Amino acid sequence: MHWKLFATLREATGHQEVAVEIEEDATIRDALDALLQNHPELEDELFSPQGELYNHIRLLQNGDDPFLTGDGFDADVGPDDELALFPPVSGG
Amino acid sequence: MHTVSIVGEDASVLLERLVGRLSARGSLATITKRSSVSSQASPDDITRIEDSGDITELPAQPAPGHENAIHYTAAGADVAYGHAAEGWSGYGTTDRSIEELIDDLAGKYDYCLLEGHTGGAVETIAVGEMDTDTPLLEIDDPETCALEPILEQIDDTTPHVTLETLVNDVQTVSAESQAGAIATFTGRVRAKEHPDDTPTEYLSFEMYEKVASDRLDTIREELEAREGVHAVRFHHRTGVIERGEEIVYVVVLAGHRREAFRTVEDGIDRLKAEVPIFKKEVTTDETFWVHDQADQQ
């Protein structure tokens, strides 16, 4: 699967898109762990000192919010999935 | 309006072939950039051009039959139009950039082909030996090359959209006869919030393209489902946008003014809150992502 990163997160890693290898029964948490293994510099951008994903960070799975429509971190991830992480939107 | 510039020595050969095909697909404008050599064209050149049908070396003259335009512009008119049953011509003396010309055409034509223009945001097709930065296509033989792949590439370019494009577009919907109002919103780059602020130089926008386009479609469908709202259009530019330039448009065609105004306001509010677009601001002193700035305030 691959991750898409935007704005501050893209700048922190220097990549708009990051492909990661995951197991067949992987969840979003596994995909996020794989991303952080490749890019530990994201840790401070994404997580509070208590280890919680910051409230202002958005995570989408194929365009949908898994925390609203699915199982959140426990949602299954397939090999063709696109996961995205970004800070608050600021268009207009 | 899909806008592409054909560059290279034999650009006109390809351009002429493309004009025939594109004009069958939609309305088409062409902008010919005169080379410095032909700028000294004499009246003899006009005859030669009429004879040969050569569109590449237009001299600095108005269309035949509209010579008065020269007198009027010399007397002070910024632009002089000629009008006749068989057509019209325009002749201007003011210093207008190619970008301004393209903006003017964007509301009226489906395609714009430029000849010999490089630079700016316009995609290019390079003909023959031509040292151009990242052309859309490179064509070796403009006389025999297949046109279909070129036409497909032109159709795939990101269309040039202005407020006028959207205003014209909403008026083509079938419910247009029940619409008495068009309301529009234009967002532009503000240099300063207060008079003594450090001025913003430019904003740089990044978009999560596919998701942004899906979100905008959803917002548009929901707003168009409102009673009395007949059409809603959005357009948000990306990349670097300098101070004073336009960023975003919302256009609403509605039965009456009240639902038009309300829907324009809700449209821009929802775009700003829901669509994955990210803004980086560069002032004369610093560079920052706008969401970070909002956190600090």
Side-chain angles (χ1 to χ4, degrees):
Chain A
M1 56 77 51
H2 65 273
W3 284 95
K4 285 251 192 189
L5 306 171
F6 294 93
T8 38
L9 308 180
R10 174 183 57 74
E11 286 192 343
T13 59
H15 295 282
Q16 172 93 259
E17 195 167 319
V18 179
V20 297
E21 295 289 330
I22 48 164
E23 305 282 326
E24 219 165 84
D25 57 351
T27 62
I28 289 181
R29 191 178 297 281
D30 298 326
L32 190 57
D33 286 344
L35 173 70
L36 285 163
Q37 207 147 43
N38 291 354
H39 291 286
E41 65 275 24
L42 282 175
E43 191 83 44
D44 288 349
E45 299 281 343
L46 299 176
F47 295 98
S48 69
Q50 291 74 41
E52 303 269 323
L53 187 68
Y54 278 122
N55 271 336
H56 66 260
I57 295 289
R58 296 292 307 277
L59 190 157
L60 297 183
Q61 181 176 27
N62 302 320
D64 294 320
D65 186 338
F67 297 94
L68 291 177
T69 58
D71 299 326
F73 284 124
D74 297 324
D76 293 333
V77 178
D80 298 327
D81 278 7
E82 177 171 288
L83 289 170
L85 282 166
F86 49 84
V89 303
S90 54
Chain B
M1 182 177 74
H2 296 285
T3 306
V4 171
S5 178
I6 319 290
V7 297
E9 205 167 309
D10 289 327
S12 62
V13 177
L14 180 61
L15 198 119
E16 211 166 324
R17 290 180 67 206
L18 286 173
V19 163
R21 295 289 294 274
L22 279 177
S23 57
R25 294 187 171 214
S27 55
L28 168 68
T30 65
I31 300 178
T32 311
K33 205 165 176 179
R34 187 159 32 72
S35 69
S36 53
V37 177
S38 55
S39 67
Q40 280 118 39
S42 69
D44 292 345
D45 291 332
I46 300 181
T47 318
R48 184 180 62 73
I49 287 161
E50 280 175 349
D51 289 348
S52 67
D54 186 347
I55 57 168
T56 68
E57 293 178 27
L58 283 178
Q61 302 287 341
H66 297 293
E67 287 78 8
N68 266 353
I70 284 192
H71 301 305
Y72 299 145
T73 49
D78 294 315
V79 64
Y81 286 94
H83 190 271
E86 58 275 12
W88 61 274
S89 72
Y91 182 70
T93 59
T94 48
D95 188 15
R96 291 179 82 199
S97 68
I98 293 264
E99 286 72 22
E100 286 171 301
L101 286 177
I102 294 172
D103 276 350
D104 284 353
L105 296 168
K108 299 185 184 68
Y109 301 93
D110 300 318
Y111 298 99
C112 178
L113 286 180
L114 294 95
E115 186 186 322
H117 172 68
T118 52
V122 180
E123 301 269 19
T124 56
I125 294 174
V127 177
E129 295 287 311
M130 184 73 198
D131 191 18
T132 313
D133 283 347
T134 60
L136 208 55
L137 282 172
E138 287 174 303
I139 303 295
D140 290 331
D141 187 349
E143 281 184 55
T144 59
C145 64
L147 293 180
E148 208 50 47
I150 304 177
L151 296 168
E152 274 173 31
Q153 285 275 352
I154 293 174
D155 278 338
D156 282 348
T157 56
T158 309
H160 188 78
V161 174
T162 61
L163 182 63
E164 197 189 358
T165 311
L166 304 183
V167 168
N168 290 345
D169 190 40
V170 292
Q171 294 177 87
T172 63
V173 301
S174 58
E176 155 282 323
S177 58
Q178 299 150 58
I182 295 174
T184 75
F185 173 82
T186 301
R188 65 195 292 279
V189 181
R190 174 177 49 240
K192 302 171 175 195
E193 190 79 48
H194 305 290
D196 45 2
D197 281 351
T198 315
T200 298
E201 298 276 291
Y202 63 85
L203 301 178
S204 178
F205 288 91
E206 185 176 319
M207 192 184 290
Y208 186 2
E209 297 276 354
K210 196 191 160 301
V211 175
S213 136
D214 287 350
R215 292 278 192 281
L216 284 173
D217 284 348
T218 304
I219 297 171
R220 171 175 154 176
E221 279 163 23
E222 289 177 10
L223 294 176
E224 284 178 343
R226 290 181 177 181
E227 184 78 32
V229 174
H230 301 304
V232 177
R233 297 288 181 273
F234 292 99
H235 181 72
H236 197 296
R237 294 184 169 151
T238 54
V240 169
I241 307 179
E242 292 180 17
R243 67 197 226 189
E245 289 186 344
E246 294 167 0
I247 304 163
V248 60
Y249 307 115
V250 183
V251 175
V252 174
L253 179 81
H256 304 89
R257 70 185 183 286
R258 297 221 183 280
E259 55 259 35
F261 285 137
R262 251 178 233 136
T263 305
V264 157
E265 184 173 16
D266 293 346
I268 186 62
D269 286 351
R270 288 193 61 184
L271 179 148
K272 289 179 82 101
E274 299 171 29
V275 181
I277 302 172
F278 311 96
K279 171 163 40 189
K280 190 177 190 172
E281 182 165 342
V282 177
T283 71
T284 41
D285 293 346
E286 56 177 344
T287 297
F288 55 89
W289 286 94
V290 171
H291 72 268
D292 280 345
Q293 188 76 350
D295 289 346
Q296 288 161 23
Q297 283 168 358

